[in-house]
Amino acid sequence: MTEVPTNEAPRLSDDQIMGVLQQIADRFSQPQRSPVLHTPAEQNLDYEDVTFPSLDGVPLEGWFIPAAGSNKLIIANHPMGFSRSGIPTQFEPWHSGWVSSGNGFEVNFIPDYKILHDAGYNVLTYDLRNHGLSGAANGGIVSSGIFEARDVVGSLQYVRNRDETRDMTIGLFSRCLGCNSTFFAMTRFPEVFNEVRCLVAPQPVTTQTILAHRLARAGVPANRIEDLEQRIVLGTGIRFAQTDPKEWAKHVRIPTFLYQVHDDVLTQPSDVQTMFDNIPIAEKQLQWIYGTTARFDGYLEFQRRPQPMLEWFEKYMA
């Protein structure tokens, strides 16, 4: 059963509750696209604008950042509501949607790519469907990994068919929705990952867990989660039980490093802990981030303290 933290949110009328439920359902089902505000040029990185198809043909837009003389490649997948360059949460409408949970600050992913490049990795990063500059698909909805898994597969097919990358050693850096999508791709298309060496996975999350916490912070009674699910089903056709990365984690077969803000007010430690426990191999690690309750600090952890993740990549991609 999903645990919900207590909070001191104001008591809401039924009409106000209905409005909050619809707002959360709308923002979750079809989040505002984040623009691609930054480029690798800001970190003096050479890069190529690339486009390639998802498994089902959706056009995906991305960057290929070469590392001269390297035969190692990291494919980076972004969180829900972000683009490959991050999320401009210092601006509206993103600020209003995140500031109440302490996440009203920008996340810029370009420094991540600089760190990976300087460590000797080529990088492919791209916008998932219905995000950034990639194509619209499936009615514009975000599916918590079900449809987005096809994008993960498409990125692997792309690098295996591109002349200069086809023989490279591959690792994955899959954040949040990117991790959920990777887990589901491993569940549905396990053969695609046969030659992938490892996965670094910040902050995967179960849909019901994060939405239950968002309701609690908005002052909505916990029993209204069923009303919220019904609204999401009407918008997407997808129920919470269909999007459970804890179950998908049972299909992970490559060395996996998970990390998560332990006291993230939008989730709970047991969510990621269960995913970790369910990964059925010995080559796995879970690292907690302490000293913050802001989820976005987890997305910035790599650029602040990258050594544990770089050591994981080095260990399994050497």
Side-chain angles (χ1 to χ4, degrees), residues 71-90:
N71 69 341
K72 296 180 288 186
L73 170 70
I74 303 296
I75 301 176
N77 297 288
H78 63 73
M80 180 177 174
F82 286 57
S83 73
R84 73 193 104 138
S85 74
I87 189 170
T89 327
Q90 73 275 34

PDB file of all heavy atoms in Angstrom, residues 71-90:
ATOM      1  N   ASN A  71      35.971   4.380 -27.930  1.00  0.00           N
ATOM      2  CA  ASN A  71      35.030   3.391 -28.469  1.00  0.00           C
ATOM      3  C   ASN A  71      33.935   3.067 -27.466  1.00  0.00           C
ATOM      4  O   ASN A  71      33.315   2.013 -27.515  1.00  0.00           O
ATOM      5  CB  ASN A  71      35.769   2.107 -28.864  1.00  0.00           C
ATOM      6  CG  ASN A  71      36.298   1.351 -27.651  1.00  0.00           C
ATOM      7  OD1 ASN A  71      36.426   1.924 -26.562  1.00  0.00           O
ATOM      8  ND2 ASN A  71      36.612   0.073 -27.832  1.00  0.00           N
ATOM      9  N   LYS A  72      33.690   3.999 -26.540  1.00  0.00           N
ATOM     10  CA  LYS A  72      32.669   3.818 -25.511  1.00  0.00           C
ATOM     11  C   LYS A  72      31.581   4.884 -25.681  1.00  0.00           C
ATOM     12  O   LYS A  72      31.880   6.046 -25.935  1.00  0.00           O
ATOM     13  CB  LYS A  72      33.281   3.906 -24.115  1.00  0.00           C
ATOM     14  CG  LYS A  72      34.292   2.798 -23.831  1.00  0.00           C
ATOM     15  CD  LYS A  72      34.876   2.906 -22.443  1.00  0.00           C
ATOM     16  CE  LYS A  72      35.830   4.076 -22.314  1.00  0.00           C
ATOM     17  NZ  LYS A  72      36.515   4.092 -20.996  1.00  0.00           N
ATOM     18  N   LEU A  73      30.332   4.479 -25.499  1.00  0.00           N
ATOM     19  CA  LEU A  73      29.189   5.355 -25.753  1.00  0.00           C
ATOM     20  C   LEU A  73      28.183   5.250 -24.625  1.00  0.00           C
ATOM     21  O   LEU A  73      27.803   4.144 -24.210  1.00  0.00           O
ATOM     22  CB  LEU A  73      28.513   4.943 -27.067  1.00  0.00           C
ATOM     23  CG  LEU A  73      27.157   5.583 -27.390  1.00  0.00           C
ATOM     24  CD1 LEU A  73      27.331   7.061 -27.717  1.00  0.00           C
ATOM     25  CD2 LEU A  73      26.494   4.860 -28.558  1.00  0.00           C
ATOM     26  N   ILE A  74      27.728   6.403 -24.149  1.00  0.00           N
ATOM     27  CA  ILE A  74      26.637   6.473 -23.174  1.00  0.00           C
ATOM     28  C   ILE A  74      25.404   7.044 -23.863  1.00  0.00           C
ATOM     29  O   ILE A  74      25.479   8.100 -24.506  1.00  0.00           O
ATOM     30  CB  ILE A  74      27.006   7.377 -21.974  1.00  0.00           C
ATOM     31  CG1 ILE A  74      28.275   6.893 -21.281  1.00  0.00           C
ATOM     32  CG2 ILE A  74      25.835   7.454 -20.993  1.00  0.00           C
ATOM     33  CD1 ILE A  74      28.168   5.543 -20.641  1.00  0.00           C
ATOM     34  N   ILE A  75      24.270   6.363 -23.724  1.00  0.00           N
ATOM     35  CA  ILE A  75      22.987   6.889 -24.187  1.00  0.00           C
ATOM     36  C   ILE A  75      22.247   7.434 -22.971  1.00  0.00           C
ATOM     37  O   ILE A  75      22.041   6.705 -21.989  1.00  0.00           O
ATOM     38  CB  ILE A  75      22.140   5.806 -24.880  1.00  0.00           C
ATOM     39  CG1 ILE A  75      22.890   5.237 -26.089  1.00  0.00           C
ATOM     40  CG2 ILE A  75      20.788   6.384 -25.307  1.00  0.00           C
ATOM     41  CD1 ILE A  75      22.157   4.081 -26.772  1.00  0.00           C
ATOM     42  N   ALA A  76      21.878   8.719 -23.024  1.00  0.00           N
ATOM     43  CA  ALA A  76      21.232   9.386 -21.895  1.00  0.00           C
ATOM     44  C   ALA A  76      19.751   9.594 -22.172  1.00  0.00           C
ATOM     45  O   ALA A  76      19.375  10.148 -23.208  1.00  0.00           O
ATOM     46  CB  ALA A  76      21.913  10.723 -21.616  1.00  0.00           C
ATOM     47  N   ASN A  77      18.925   9.159 -21.220  1.00  0.00           N
ATOM     48  CA  ASN A  77      17.472   9.321 -21.287  1.00  0.00           C
ATOM     49  C   ASN A  77      17.006  10.229 -20.148  1.00  0.00           C
ATOM     50  O   ASN A  77      17.467  10.086 -19.012  1.00  0.00           O
ATOM     51  CB  ASN A  77      16.791   7.961 -21.168  1.00  0.00           C
ATOM     52  CG  ASN A  77      17.146   7.027 -22.305  1.00  0.00           C
ATOM     53  OD1 ASN A  77      16.707   7.209 -23.425  1.00  0.00           O
ATOM     54  ND2 ASN A  77      17.978   6.023 -22.014  1.00  0.00           N
ATOM     55  N   HIS A  78      16.085  11.132 -20.431  1.00  0.00           N
ATOM     56  CA  HIS A  78      15.725  12.190 -19.482  1.00  0.00           C
ATOM     57  C   HIS A  78      14.463  11.868 -18.679  1.00  0.00           C
ATOM     58  O   HIS A  78      13.699  10.962 -19.013  1.00  0.00           O
ATOM     59  CB  HIS A  78      15.560  13.522 -20.216  1.00  0.00           C
ATOM     60  CG  HIS A  78      14.452  13.521 -21.229  1.00  0.00           C
ATOM     61  ND1 HIS A  78      13.121  13.544 -20.888  1.00  0.00           N
ATOM     62  CD2 HIS A  78      14.474  13.510 -22.594  1.00  0.00           C
ATOM     63  CE1 HIS A  78      12.370  13.557 -21.978  1.00  0.00           C
ATOM     64  NE2 HIS A  78      13.162  13.519 -23.033  1.00  0.00           N
ATOM     65  N   PRO A  79      14.178  12.658 -17.619  1.00  0.00           N
ATOM     66  CA  PRO A  79      12.977  12.471 -16.809  1.00  0.00           C
ATOM     67  C   PRO A  79      11.713  12.981 -17.507  1.00  0.00           C
ATOM     68  O   PRO A  79      11.765  13.717 -18.496  1.00  0.00           O
ATOM     69  CB  PRO A  79      13.254  13.308 -15.554  1.00  0.00           C
ATOM     70  CG  PRO A  79      14.720  13.561 -15.551  1.00  0.00           C
ATOM     71  CD  PRO A  79      15.112  13.609 -16.997  1.00  0.00           C
ATOM     72  N   MET A  80      10.579  12.630 -16.924  1.00  0.00           N
ATOM     73  CA  MET A  80       9.281  13.087 -17.408  1.00  0.00           C
ATOM     74  C   MET A  80       9.178  14.602 -17.303  1.00  0.00           C
ATOM     75  O   MET A  80       9.553  15.207 -16.301  1.00  0.00           O
ATOM     76  CB  MET A  80       8.162  12.448 -16.586  1.00  0.00           C
ATOM     77  CG  MET A  80       6.763  12.854 -16.995  1.00  0.00           C
ATOM     78  SD  MET A  80       5.539  11.951 -16.013  1.00  0.00           S
ATOM     79  CE  MET A  80       4.024  12.737 -16.571  1.00  0.00           C
ATOM     80  N   GLY A  81       8.684  15.234 -18.377  1.00  0.00           N
ATOM     81  CA  GLY A  81       8.499  16.674 -18.392  1.00  0.00           C
ATOM     82  C   GLY A  81       9.746  17.458 -18.735  1.00  0.00           C
ATOM     83  O   GLY A  81       9.673  18.670 -18.902  1.00  0.00           O
ATOM     84  N   PHE A  82      10.883  16.797 -18.836  1.00  0.00           N
ATOM     85  CA  PHE A  82      12.150  17.443 -19.177  1.00  0.00           C
ATOM     86  C   PHE A  82      12.370  17.334 -20.693  1.00  0.00           C
ATOM     87  O   PHE A  82      11.605  16.700 -21.407  1.00  0.00           O
ATOM     88  CB  PHE A  82      13.309  16.747 -18.480  1.00  0.00           C
ATOM     89  CG  PHE A  82      13.417  17.012 -16.995  1.00  0.00           C
ATOM     90  CD1 PHE A  82      12.359  16.741 -16.128  1.00  0.00           C
ATOM     91  CD2 PHE A  82      14.596  17.490 -16.449  1.00  0.00           C
ATOM     92  CE1 PHE A  82      12.464  16.957 -14.764  1.00  0.00           C
ATOM     93  CE2 PHE A  82      14.726  17.713 -15.087  1.00  0.00           C
ATOM     94  CZ  PHE A  82      13.654  17.446 -14.238  1.00  0.00           C
ATOM     95  N   SER A  83      13.434  17.939 -21.163  1.00  0.00           N
ATOM     96  CA  SER A  83      13.971  17.664 -22.483  1.00  0.00           C
ATOM     97  C   SER A  83      15.395  17.186 -22.282  1.00  0.00           C
ATOM     98  O   SER A  83      15.876  17.090 -21.145  1.00  0.00           O
ATOM     99  CB  SER A  83      13.957  18.913 -23.370  1.00  0.00           C
ATOM    100  OG  SER A  83      14.960  19.836 -22.952  1.00  0.00           O
ATOM    101  N   ARG A  84      16.101  16.922 -23.381  1.00  0.00           N
ATOM    102  CA  ARG A  84      17.492  16.472 -23.257  1.00  0.00           C
ATOM    103  C   ARG A  84      18.364  17.517 -22.582  1.00  0.00           C
ATOM    104  O   ARG A  84      19.404  17.204 -22.012  1.00  0.00           O
ATOM    105  CB  ARG A  84      18.042  16.113 -24.638  1.00  0.00           C
ATOM    106  CG  ARG A  84      18.318  17.312 -25.521  1.00  0.00           C
ATOM    107  CD  ARG A  84      18.561  16.942 -26.979  1.00  0.00           C
ATOM    108  NE  ARG A  84      17.405  17.253 -27.789  1.00  0.00           N
ATOM    109  CZ  ARG A  84      17.461  17.815 -28.997  1.00  0.00           C
ATOM    110  NH1 ARG A  84      18.629  18.100 -29.536  1.00  0.00           N
ATOM    111  NH2 ARG A  84      16.371  18.072 -29.661  1.00  0.00           N
ATOM    112  N   SER A  85      17.946  18.806 -22.618  1.00  0.00           N
ATOM    113  CA  SER A  85      18.756  19.857 -21.987  1.00  0.00           C
ATOM    114  C   SER A  85      18.345  20.137 -20.545  1.00  0.00           C
ATOM    115  O   SER A  85      19.024  20.880 -19.846  1.00  0.00           O
ATOM    116  CB  SER A  85      18.689  21.153 -22.798  1.00  0.00           C
ATOM    117  OG  SER A  85      17.447  21.806 -22.652  1.00  0.00           O
ATOM    118  N   GLY A  86      17.238  19.550 -20.077  1.00  0.00           N
ATOM    119  CA  GLY A  86      16.815  19.755 -18.697  1.00  0.00           C
ATOM    120  C   GLY A  86      15.400  20.292 -18.602  1.00  0.00           C
ATOM    121  O   GLY A  86      14.542  19.988 -19.429  1.00  0.00           O
ATOM    122  N   ILE A  87      15.163  21.119 -17.585  1.00  0.00           N
ATOM    123  CA  ILE A  87      13.839  21.721 -17.383  1.00  0.00           C
ATOM    124  C   ILE A  87      14.018  23.141 -16.843  1.00  0.00           C
ATOM    125  O   ILE A  87      14.785  23.356 -15.895  1.00  0.00           O
ATOM    126  CB  ILE A  87      12.962  20.872 -16.436  1.00  0.00           C
ATOM    127  CG1 ILE A  87      11.521  21.386 -16.395  1.00  0.00           C
ATOM    128  CG2 ILE A  87      13.555  20.785 -15.046  1.00  0.00           C
ATOM    129  CD1 ILE A  87      10.549  20.444 -15.680  1.00  0.00           C
ATOM    130  N   PRO A  88      13.335  24.144 -17.428  1.00  0.00           N
ATOM    131  CA  PRO A  88      13.513  25.537 -17.001  1.00  0.00           C
ATOM    132  C   PRO A  88      12.535  25.905 -15.881  1.00  0.00           C
ATOM    133  O   PRO A  88      11.670  26.772 -16.024  1.00  0.00           O
ATOM    134  CB  PRO A  88      13.216  26.317 -18.281  1.00  0.00           C
ATOM    135  CG  PRO A  88      12.162  25.492 -18.966  1.00  0.00           C
ATOM    136  CD  PRO A  88      12.494  24.054 -18.642  1.00  0.00           C
ATOM    137  N   THR A  89      12.700  25.273 -14.739  1.00  0.00           N
ATOM    138  CA  THR A  89      11.726  25.437 -13.663  1.00  0.00           C
ATOM    139  C   THR A  89      11.816  26.792 -12.985  1.00  0.00           C
ATOM    140  O   THR A  89      11.008  27.101 -12.110  1.00  0.00           O
ATOM    141  CB  THR A  89      11.908  24.305 -12.633  1.00  0.00           C
ATOM    142  OG1 THR A  89      12.331  23.118 -13.297  1.00  0.00           O
ATOM    143  CG2 THR A  89      10.592  24.001 -11.932  1.00  0.00           C
ATOM    144  N   GLN A  90      12.766  27.617 -13.396  1.00  0.00           N
ATOM    145  CA  GLN A  90      12.806  28.995 -12.910  1.00  0.00           C
ATOM    146  C   GLN A  90      11.771  29.867 -13.634  1.00  0.00           C
ATOM    147  O   GLN A  90      11.525  30.998 -13.225  1.00  0.00           O
ATOM    148  CB  GLN A  90      14.212  29.580 -13.070  1.00  0.00           C
ATOM    149  CG  GLN A  90      14.634  29.929 -14.493  1.00  0.00           C
ATOM    150  CD  GLN A  90      15.207  28.769 -15.274  1.00  0.00           C
ATOM    151  OE1 GLN A  90      14.788  27.629 -15.090  1.00  0.00           O
ATOM    152  NE2 GLN A  90      16.168  29.052 -16.137  1.00  0.00           N
TER     153      GLN A  90
END
